[in-house]
Amino acid sequence: MGFLVSGTHLHITTWVIALVLFFIAALAGKKLTGVHMGLRLMYILMIISGGALFLEYRSAYGMNYDMKVLFAILVIGFMEMILVRKNKGKSVTVFWGLFAIALAVTLYLGLSSGIGSKF
Ligand code: HEM
């Protein structure tokens, strides 16, 4: 399964597509069931591609990776909360804030540590 761990491009592709689908579904005026299903498929691909990187490099980089994965899971959780609550007509303001914080931390931890691109 070398293609999963030979770089971070596959993983980046999965979460960029996920974010695009999330914003389409979250900002649309109506319920977009198909887009939400596509987003859930991307969660699985994100977890597989990120999980493979995690298993391959965790021993070399340690704690930062644990935190990265933890916050990434929170991002997925908040995206689901926003879409499900929005479709039920409940307030989502707090969850947008939590989503933004978790996403910023995830991007920071991902880009600042270990393998892949560094800024
Ligand atoms: C919203 C979801 C996610 C975002 C925005 C995200 C973002 C990122 C970013 C920016 C990188 C660095 C890429 C690079 O430097 O080339 C990265 C790498 C990584 N991601 Fe994710 N990711 C997400 C989901 C996940 C999930 C679900 C997992 C694990 C199950 C995961 C595990 C990893 C690992 C282990 C790395 C390599 C560590 C590193 O170089 O810092 N990610 N991710």
Side-chain angles (χ1 to χ4, degrees):
M1 299 290 267
F3 73 100
L4 281 175
V5 289
S6 58
T8 52
H9 286 147
L10 180 71
H11 180 59
I12 293 176
T13 309
T14 59
W15 61 254
V16 169
I17 295 175
L19 285 179
V20 171
L21 293 178
F22 168 69
F23 281 111
I24 292 174
L27 301 176
K30 57 186 168 98
K31 184 173 173 177
L32 296 181
T33 310
V35 178
H36 197 172
M37 295 296 287
L39 175 61
R40 286 174 169 157
L41 176 65
M42 294 317 293
Y43 295 158
I44 296 171
L45 299 180
M46 266 156 59
I47 290 170
I48 293 174
S49 62
L53 293 171
F54 183 71
L55 293 178
E56 185 78 7
Y57 297 103
R58 179 178 186 273
S59 53
Y61 294 106
M63 264 280 287
N64 271 354
Y65 276 25
D66 298 359
M67 298 304 285
K68 160 72 178 56
V69 172
L70 188 73
F71 275 93
I73 301 295
L74 286 177
V75 175
I76 296 176
F78 293 139
M79 291 195 284
E80 272 304 296
M81 293 298 285
I82 289 171
L83 292 184
V84 170
R85 289 179 66 93
K86 171 192 169 245
N87 289 338
K88 287 185 180 163
K90 292 186 182 166
S91 157
V92 289
T93 321
V94 175
F95 291 98
W96 272 113
L98 293 171
F99 164 75
I101 294 168
L103 180 63
V105 173
T106 306
L107 288 173
Y108 174 75
L109 289 176
L111 292 174
S112 63
S113 66
I115 56 166
S117 8
K118 291 193 191 63
F119 291 101

